[in-house]
Amino acid sequence: MTDMTENRGGETETSAARRSPLAKRSGGDAGSRGRTTIADGVVEKIAGLAARDVDGVHAMGSGISRTFGAVRDRVPGGTKSVSRGVKAEVGEVQAALDLEIVVEYGVSIADVARDVRENVITAVERMTGLEVVEVNIAVSDVKLPDEEEEEPERRIQ
């Protein structure tokens, strides 16, 4: 049982609140003081990595963006763009995502899209705390088994 006393205004307070002057002043726990904002690019990276983890996803983005990305990846000091093919709109508590993917030939596009959607929603909500209200997926291409890769292997010189 908590030790309760009555203060001047007729309200009761616990003995813990009486002992800690900070408890009265703070107005809540430290996690609720201040504001956290999450940039669109952060959500795009999380979604891009989560989408690439799904079996049947060959690549992300349109042919042009993949071509430019391949060139950028070869530049010394350049980094791979994990957010290629992902566009996010982030609000204070919600996010909406558009993804453009290339699937491997022979897979069920409906199944891959469902799995991508589930994986992206789970990852973004777990990491950011945002509610994902929609994940729109556009399948822009199918990778055929005999097609050459857009990123040819580097030659040894």
Side-chain angles (χ1 to χ4, degrees), residues 37-68:
T37 57
I38 300 171
D40 293 1
V42 171
V43 174
E44 289 169 356
K45 284 182 179 182
I46 294 167
L49 289 170
R52 283 176 176 80
D53 281 345
V54 174
D55 288 335
V57 174
H58 175 72
M60 301 286 296
S62 66
I64 293 172
S65 71
R66 291 193 323 269
T67 301
F68 284 128

Side-chain angles (χ1 to χ4, degrees), residues 54 101 103 108-118 135 137 139:
V54 174
I101 66 173
V103 297
S108 166
I109 293 174
D111 290 347
V112 170
R114 182 196 64 239
D115 293 347
V116 166
R117 195 170 277 113
E118 288 175 3
V135 177
I137 299 172
V139 178

Side-chain angles (χ1 to χ4, degrees), residues 62-120:
S62 66
I64 293 172
S65 71
R66 291 193 323 269
T67 301
F68 284 128
V71 171
R72 185 179 54 241
D73 293 346
R74 288 193 193 108
V75 173
T79 58
K80 287 191 178 258
S81 175
V82 295
S83 60
R84 183 185 313 141
V86 182
K87 177 69 177 124
E89 293 181 25
V90 179
E92 288 186 28
V93 295
Q94 295 179 326
L97 295 141
D98 294 323
L99 282 74
E100 190 170 359
I101 66 173
V102 176
V103 297
E104 295 172 359
Y105 177 78
V107 299
S108 166
I109 293 174
D111 290 347
V112 170
R114 182 196 64 239
D115 293 347
V116 166
R117 195 170 277 113
E118 288 175 3
N119 212 34
V120 166

Side-chain angles (χ1 to χ4, degrees), residues 117-139:
R117 195 170 277 113
E118 288 175 3
N119 212 34
V120 166
I121 289 170
T122 300
V124 170
E125 287 184 346
R126 180 180 55 82
M127 291 184 70
T128 66
L130 296 167
E131 175 192 9
V132 178
V133 293
E134 68 180 4
V135 177
N136 300 310
I137 299 172
V139 178

